[in-house]
Amino acid sequence: MSRIGKKPVELPAGVTVTQSGQTVEVKGPKGVLSFTATDDVTITVEDNQLNVEPRGKSKRARQQWGMSRTVVANMVTGVTDGFKKELEINGVGYRAQMQGNVLKLNLGLSHDVDFVAPEGVTVTAPKQTEIVVEGIDPQLVGQVAANIRAWRKPEPYKGKGIKYKDEYIFRKEGKKK
């Protein structure tokens, strides 16, 4: 039995859920998100709660049960609060700045990296060594942050590169004489 799936999703004030078949659309103050569940689960909306139940006892139905509930809960969180990933840049001469919708990164490469923020995500650089990625879709926010980080992953000797704010870089000892 799924412990996650059993728990109903609470719908805060200002959030409306419309359901047509297996498609759930969540509207909130920050935007609109939709999700189409598989036929292995049943989604019901009652009062200010959304419940997900499995159809049958198959392994796939139980897997989809917890996953579908989590996706819907993330959609509710996204349209109310939104999601945010913070990145830090470490290294001499490494910096970032926004120019319109384009993030310009100086990462010690032979050229500057121009990263265009996709639709649905806002990228800001409050400082030259910080990047903030915000949006309502957690998958898209995480993917954009990972794409930015992929330009210069942190190395284990000096820690130079782009890392998540809460990420720990395991440091290695250099050569011994």
Side-chain angles (χ1 to χ4, degrees):
M1 295 293 282
S2 173
R3 294 181 189 185
I4 294 171
K6 287 181 192 175
K7 192 174 177 186
V9 179
E10 297 292 328
L11 302 175
V15 175
T16 58
V17 174
T18 55
Q19 180 185 4
S20 60
Q22 290 295 95
T23 303
V24 177
E25 189 175 82
V26 180
K27 290 182 186 175
K30 292 203 176 216
V32 179
L33 290 172
S34 65
F35 168 68
T36 303
T38 61
D39 291 332
D40 297 315
V41 295
T42 306
I43 298 174
T44 56
V45 181
E46 299 166 357
D47 302 329
N48 280 345
Q49 290 184 341
L50 185 139
N51 291 316
V52 180
E53 295 293 325
R55 289 184 186 165
K57 300 215 181 261
S58 68
K59 183 175 182 178
R60 179 170 165 76
R62 288 180 287 136
Q63 290 170 343
Q64 296 296 317
W65 182 20
M67 191 269 310
S68 299
R69 189 261 179 215
T70 302
V71 169
V72 172
N74 281 344
M75 288 178 6
V76 170
T77 303
V79 297
T80 54
D81 303 329
F83 291 95
K84 179 175 167 180
K85 288 270 189 185
E86 295 178 352
L87 300 162
E88 273 181 6
I89 301 174
N90 295 323
V92 177
Y94 289 12
R95 62 182 164 273
Q97 60 185 2
M98 287 300 296
Q99 289 184 347
N101 195 28
V102 178
L103 178 68
K104 291 211 172 270
L105 298 167
N106 295 358
L107 299 172
L109 302 171
S110 62
H111 59 285
D112 290 351
V113 175
D114 293 341
F115 185 83
V116 180
E119 199 68 33
V121 173
T122 57
V123 179
T124 55
K127 295 181 188 172
Q128 287 188 339
T129 59
E130 287 183 10
I131 302 169
V132 178
V133 182
E134 294 177 302
I136 61 173
D137 185 3
Q139 193 274 330
L140 188 59
V141 169
Q143 186 63 55
V144 169
N147 290 347
I148 293 171
R149 182 181 180 271
W151 278 104
R152 187 67 94 176
K153 290 183 182 173
E155 52 96 14
Y157 296 100
K158 292 184 180 176
K160 291 169 52 175
I162 302 174
K163 70 178 190 83
Y164 297 111
K165 193 151 197 141
D166 56 353
E167 183 180 9
Y168 173 75
I169 305 301
F170 180 75
R171 295 295 178 88
K172 290 184 179 178
E173 188 178 342
K175 278 187 186 178
K176 291 184 180 178
K177 289 189 175 185

